[in-house]
Amino acid sequence: MLVLGLETSCDDTGVGIVDADRNILANVVASQLAAHKPYGGVVPEVAARAHLDVIDGVIAQALKESGLSLSDIAAVAATTGPGLIGGVMVGSMMGKAISAVRKLPFISVNHLEAHALTARLTNDIDFPYLLLLASGGHCQLLLVHGVGDYRLLGRTIDDAVGECFDKCAKMLGLGYPGGPLIEVAARDGDPKKFLLPRPMLGRKGCDFSFSGLKTSVRTLIEGQTLTPILVSDMAASLQSAIADSIADRARHAFAILKEEKQSVTAFVAAGGVAANQKLRERLTKIAEENNVAFAAPPPELCTDNGVMVAWAGLERFRLGLTDGLDVRARPRWPLEEVRNARC
Ligand code: KG4
Ligand code: ZN
């Protein structure tokens, strides 16, 4: 059973093909980085047009890479939200068109659910698991009970963690996307050089906050010359503050689950920020403290891609969950609102 997945919700045109035995047959991602670079961030209209320009070619390349044709595909999945609506429409219309022409079932995939389920493809994780979903648009801790069955434990009350990385990187003159550039710059830096706040540390519950951190970075570098050493020290200090803050929130999530006598099979991290090596090391320790395994997809499957959409589509498809072609593209679609029709 092969499923084709299309991802176009932000600035990557991703096409993936997976099978039920957890094999990845194709993973092609066309990045729009160059198109958005002059603006220092993603421009929605530019993104939508760029998806439209390349999506045919990316699908053709995925089929070529896998040696398959559309007649081998059992179902088509596409991200139908949340995300930049122009891009979401390009991918979902393409998915629906393939479905209509080839008479294949169509599966509407929530982008966050695609991130949330990827570790089941890459690490064979069973339900229920604790999930940190950390990306450019989201930062949440969730209990994943099953496909379409998510309980939100905490979320950011202001900025997403990826947004914090991106905005601070911009202030430091590093460029976009900020997360990977901060990670590289931090390698030569002293994480203790700048005393940055650890937002929400010790607070009840497991909500996050990152806007204060961003303001602190701005205040500390104001009027300073951005020498390579200053940039590296600030990158290391920021990465360390973010890791401390997330680690504290994750500990609180485990404490809540313990109190409720809710066991989990694993602690999973997903979303672009989960590609961060320092963060992965911290999260691994927290999982160990709680006697569960830590799992995160390889970095290239943490950031946006079509494979995760194909996999989430496959998970839904094998539960008999398909969608009509009248399904809407949605700019906003929280994960807790994704329902498995059988729930
Ligand atoms: O999941 P994703 O590709 O797109 C969204 O759904 O938002 O996440 C993109 C975010 C960006 O903010 C980017 O800076 C961040 O993930 N990111 C990282 C790393 N790689 C990507 N943040 C920290 N360290 C990284 N290595
Ligand atoms: Zn994403």
Side-chain angles (χ1 to χ4, degrees), residues 7 9-10 111-112 115 133 135-138 271-272 302-305 308:
E7 161 56 38
S9 68
C10 192
H111 179 82
L112 304 175
H115 277 305
L133 207 167
S135 70
H138 299 86
C302 282
T303 47
D304 291 348
N305 62 84
M308 67 181 193

Side-chain angles (χ1 to χ4, degrees), residues 266-286:
F267 182 23
V268 171
V273 178
N276 188 283
Q277 219 45 53
K278 278 273 177 283
L279 182 62
R280 289 162 87 109
E281 285 165 21
R282 290 298 297 278
L283 301 178
T284 304
K285 285 209 184 93
I286 294 165

Side-chain angles (χ1 to χ4, degrees), residues 36-43 166 170 175-176:
H36 299 287
K37 215 179 183 114
Y39 310 98
V42 179
V43 182
D166 293 339
K170 196 172 178 182
Y176 180 86

